[in-house]
Amino acid sequence: MYVGSNEPQRRVTEGSALELHASLAEDGGWTPSNITATAGRPLHLRLTSDDVTHGFAIGQSVQPAINVLPGQWTETTLMFDAPGKYTFYC
């Protein structure tokens, strides 16, 4: 995940959320696999799994991992104070 100080190229409209789908690594992992966000602005995510229970965690973050269950949507909002590259993983 890249967090920049400028507006992201792919913009999520106010009040909407970016959808991420999890699958086993050999089936592609997270889709989309890259996200661009803007530092200091909330990033709303809707997470679901296409196969088994997954976790969603951000490296370099103190936020706990989120359980992502198959066929269900889990919503979360992230905020990044500083630009940089952050790794999200299962």
Side-chain angles (χ1 to χ4, degrees), residues 3-53:
V3 177
S5 57
N6 297 324
E7 290 293 319
Q9 293 176 343
R10 186 172 142 195
R11 186 175 220 184
V12 178
T13 60
E14 190 71 29
S16 67
L18 178 64
E19 292 184 353
L20 278 88
H21 289 257
S23 60
L24 297 173
E26 55 268 18
D27 293 330
W30 287 100
T31 304
S33 59
N34 292 300
I35 301 170
T36 301
T38 303
R41 296 239 176 146
L43 174 63
H44 306 290
L45 301 176
R46 291 187 74 215
L47 310 166
T48 192
S49 169
D50 296 332
D51 46 30
V52 299
T53 299

